Amino acid sequence: EVPLEGSALCRVLLSPSSKLRLNAAAASPFCCLTGKGDQFANVAELGVATKARIAIPVRAVPVLEVRNRHGQLQPLNSFALDYLKNGDRVALVRDNNMAEGLAWELLSQISSVLKAVIVSLDQLEEEDMGAGGGEEAGEEQQGELAKAFTELESTFSTSFSAFNAIRS
């Protein structure tokens, strides 16, 4: 536990009447003194800045990192969602300042990830059925999740297959 948690200083700073108060659900009061609240730059920061009673196994948090050919971390944006919505290859390449080959490779990786998620969800469902099942509500939610990912993957694959289609 951080030494200041529970102190008079924290009580004053976190009181509802304090002008310095931040609404932070996860960040510790000590970390809130930076003024960032529940904004974390990365998973490692999330792990060290959360309240002591919140245990976050940082290595178990899934993270998607995109690196360029030199191994440098690239900032993420919504290029895949934008492409899914409008299917415009030219706009994707232009608006994200990326080579067409890189755009294709990144979209291909996302397509592969979606397919892997579906396989994993199907395997979980099979394991649950083989083990006698669990709660019906949980099984239903899992089935709905698998169905949603299957729909998303199908839509994304259709859009992605048009990426290199002959353009007139």
Side-chain angles (χ1 to χ4, degrees):
E1 185 171 311
V2 178
L4 289 178
E5 281 193 58
S7 70
L9 174 62
C10 281
R11 282 193 298 277
V12 169
L13 291 174
L14 298 175
S15 74
S17 60
S18 174
K19 293 186 190 311
L20 300 173
R21 183 174 194 266
L22 283 176
N23 289 325
S28 72
F30 179 75
C31 291
C32 284
L33 294 174
T34 64
K36 293 187 340 182
D38 281 341
Q39 296 175 356
F40 308 101
N42 53 44
V43 175
E45 186 177 303
L46 171 70
V48 298
T50 53
K51 295 176 181 173
R53 66 180 178 272
I54 301 174
I56 297 179
V58 175
R59 291 183 182 195
V61 176
V63 176
L64 175 64
E65 292 182 339
V66 177
R67 297 185 180 274
N68 65 16
R69 63 185 173 152
H70 303 290
Q72 298 166 322
L73 195 59
Q74 296 293 114
L76 295 176
N77 64 27
S78 63
F79 72 91
L81 179 61
D82 294 341
Y83 183 73
L84 182 63
K85 286 181 177 179
N86 63 35
D88 189 347
R89 176 192 51 81
V90 174
L92 171 73
V93 170
R94 180 191 63 235
D95 295 347
N96 292 284
N97 194 28
M98 63 173 69
E100 195 170 311
L102 176 62
W104 184 90
E105 180 63 34
L106 292 173
L107 292 173
S108 175
Q109 289 175 6
I110 291 169
S111 181
S112 295
V113 167
L114 291 172
K115 289 175 184 172
V117 168
I118 292 167
V119 168
S120 296
L121 289 172
D122 287 345
Q123 288 176 346
L124 283 173
E125 190 173 355
E126 287 174 16
E127 287 175 13
D128 284 349
M129 292 174 72
E135 296 179 22
E136 286 185 30
E139 289 175 2
E140 186 177 318
Q141 287 177 342
Q142 189 171 318
E144 289 297 315
L145 184 62
K147 182 179 175 183
F149 266 98
T150 301
E151 275 184 43
L152 175 62
E153 191 279 326
S154 175
T155 304
F156 192 86
S157 289
T158 301
S159 183
F160 179 56
S161 66
F163 187 85
N164 284 329
I166 298 173
R167 298 169 279 285
S168 50

